[in-house]
Amino acid sequence: MIDEMKVEIGITGFGSKLDDDLKSDCWANMPPELLTDILMRIEASESDWPDRKSVVCCAAVCRSWRKNMKEIVKCPEVSGCLTFPSSLKQPGSVGSLTQCFIKRNRNTQTYTLYLNLTEASNDEGKFLFAAKRFRRTTCTDYIISLNADDISKGSSGYVGKLRSNFLGTKFRVYDARPTNAALLATKCHSSRLGSIKRVSPKIPAGNYPISNISYEVNNPGTRGPRQMRCVMNAIPANAIEPRVGPTPTDFHVDSSSSSSSSSSSRSLSGSKSAHVSDAQLGALVLKNKNPRWHQQLQCWCLNFNGRVTVASVKNFQLVACLEDENGSKEHEKIVLEFGKIGKDVFTMDYQYPISAFEAFAICLSSFDTKITCE
């Protein structure tokens, strides 16, 4: 029965009928108990792409199916699956890296992010994001969109941007939607906001800073691996620590300072303790893992476990930088790794607590020209 239903969903699930037309359809009027049971079976059976598109088809049948599907599908942190576009701004899976790759087009100055479907080198992947580089007089912008055919701030698929300074050493990541009420006050007013079509009466579209990326300037006449530091303003530093008890689906904010946002949003933790330092209560700080010098190869090396095959100054691994009474120390868990595997192909693997959107923005900063860091 489920297989027969999938065939029908494949026909009706992509806009062949409007919601009003489906009110009289047998699928739309299915008893809630039976509908929930069927959707749960599909969710459990289709764990990987491309078969997982059946889950998306179910959510596209009608409003009742969409509501039930959204309640059944677990967030990426728990399931490890990127099912809906909202999953791209939710924390990644816990305990394992989500494997993706980026394709660069030098002619059009575009960068496309795909989710790995197989381990094969010719894997076409599942499209996630597209970004385009725009060079300004004093800075460089990377516009990030869900629509590969229309990468602009006026596109309905616009989700955010990355902006660099003139030297390409400092970057700021902007989200088109605020992550919490506190960030509304720090909204970046842009003269181009009037061109954004996707406007909500509840949450205004715009550019809300969520993280800062900086590259250390090398001394004149010296060469070496890049030193980078990422301050994730929307993620608390204690998010990297092991948790005891149920896994939360988001980072909550103290109700005394601002109200909690949607389940896909994140904010700084408001629970403070007098025995915890301010650094531990602040934003999560990521820094590149220091490579080791290989005497035989005469180069700096990092262990990517076979995911990176071409040496490049762009290659990096990010770990959390934790601070306590004894100073700062590196966390062992790799949160994000990025490396070259072809002329214009790069791997991007990330995990909790950052999202695919944040990981992609950080990797885009590595592509930008850095006059004083080479």
Side-chain angles (χ1 to χ4, degrees):
M1 176 181 178
I2 294 178
D3 293 335
E4 294 177 356
M5 188 194 65
K6 287 180 184 178
V7 174
E8 177 127 358
I9 290 172
I11 299 174
T12 63
F14 286 105
S16 61
K17 292 185 180 181
L18 298 176
D19 283 348
D20 294 338
D21 298 332
L22 286 166
K23 289 181 180 179
S24 59
D25 193 277
C26 61
W27 299 117
N29 296 323
M30 187 177 296
E33 296 80 6
L34 179 58
L35 173 60
T36 302
D37 181 66
I38 292 176
L39 295 182
M40 289 182 66
R41 288 170 181 260
I42 294 176
E43 159 65 14
S45 61
E46 310 296 359
S47 58
D48 299 312
W49 288 91
D51 294 335
R52 193 161 177 78
K53 64 184 179 182
S54 300
V55 177
V56 180
C57 292
C58 289
V61 171
C62 62
R63 288 189 179 94
S64 61
W65 283 56
R66 182 157 52 250
K67 181 180 178 181
N68 280 271
M69 205 73 240
K70 289 174 67 176
E71 293 176 353
I72 293 172
V73 175
K74 296 180 176 64
C75 63
E77 180 183 348
V78 178
S79 65
C81 298
L82 298 175
T83 306
F84 302 115
S86 60
S87 304
L88 300 176
K89 289 191 176 182
Q90 293 176 335
S93 61
V94 178
S96 63
L97 291 167
T98 300
Q99 296 184 345
C100 308
F101 64 92
I102 299 173
K103 287 186 176 181
R104 174 178 59 182
N105 189 319
R106 296 174 184 264
N107 297 328
T108 60
Q109 291 289 289
T110 56
Y111 307 83
T112 313
L113 176 67
Y114 298 90
L115 175 68
N116 272 115
L117 301 183
T118 66
E119 298 292 336
S121 58
N122 59 348
D123 182 11
E124 295 183 357
K126 177 187 183 319
F127 170 78
L128 299 179
F129 281 127
K132 186 176 179 67
R133 184 176 185 265
F134 294 90
R135 182 66 183 175
R136 316 292 185 190
T137 305
T138 59
C139 64
T140 300
D141 282 348
Y142 290 84
I143 304 300
I144 305 175
S145 175
L146 292 169
N147 187 352
D149 298 322
D150 186 5
I151 310 176
S152 66
K153 291 184 67 175
S155 169
S156 60
Y158 172 71
V159 293
K161 71 176 182 180
L162 172 74
R163 169 167 289 184
S164 76
N165 62 356
F166 178 76
L167 296 176
T169 56
K170 295 185 183 298
F171 298 79
R172 178 166 289 179
V173 182
Y174 295 91
D175 197 333
R177 286 289 184 270
T179 55
N180 56 53
L183 289 180
L184 282 170
T186 61
K187 174 179 176 294
C188 174
H189 295 281
S190 172
S191 59
R192 297 175 176 268
L193 292 185
S195 64
I196 297 178
K197 301 176 183 177
R198 190 176 52 132
V199 178
S200 168
K202 295 181 180 180
I203 303 177
N207 292 315
Y208 302 88
I210 61 170
S211 59
N212 295 286
I213 308 164
S214 61
Y215 289 81
E216 185 177 328
V217 178
N218 288 340
N219 295 326
T222 63
R223 293 178 63 86
R226 291 176 176 174
Q227 299 294 322
M228 60 188 299
R229 178 184 176 91
C230 307
V231 181
M232 315 303 294
N233 300 321
I235 307 177
N238 55 16
I240 200 70
E241 295 294 343
R243 294 185 301 272
V244 178
T247 301
T249 57
D250 63 348
F251 300 127
H252 298 282
V253 71
D254 189 0
S255 59
S256 61
S257 59
S258 61
S259 60
S260 178
S261 178
S262 64
S263 61
S264 62
S265 67
R266 296 194 299 237
S267 59
L268 294 179
S269 174
S271 58
K272 296 186 177 181
S273 172
H275 302 286
V276 183
S277 66
D278 292 336
Q280 290 174 311
L281 290 170
L284 175 67
V285 177
L286 303 177
K287 59 171 293 186
N288 64 295
K289 187 175 182 179
N290 292 322
R292 61 179 180 85
W293 177 257
H294 198 289
Q295 192 63 33
Q296 294 180 340
L297 298 178
Q298 290 293 298
C299 65
W300 297 98
C301 296
L302 285 170
N303 183 13
F304 288 94
N305 295 310
R307 285 286 292 166
V308 178
T309 57
V310 181
S312 173
V313 70
K314 297 179 176 63
N315 301 348
F316 66 80
Q317 291 177 328
L318 292 186
V319 295
C321 180
L322 305 178
E323 296 183 3
D324 53 21
E325 295 80 1
N326 300 322
S328 62
K329 61 179 181 179
E330 290 185 3
H331 198 276
E332 295 181 357
K333 183 178 73 174
I334 295 174
V335 177
L336 170 64
E337 63 179 22
F338 172 79
K340 192 172 185 179
I341 58 174
K343 182 179 180 181
D344 291 302
V345 184
F346 302 78
T347 59
M348 187 199 87
D349 302 339
Y350 75 98
Q351 66 174 318
Y352 181 92
I354 66 173
S355 65
F357 171 71
E358 292 163 334
F360 185 44
I362 294 174
C363 292
L364 287 175
S365 71
S366 185
F367 287 108
D368 204 56
T369 303
K370 295 160 183 60
I371 301 174
T372 59
C373 296
E374 303 298 337

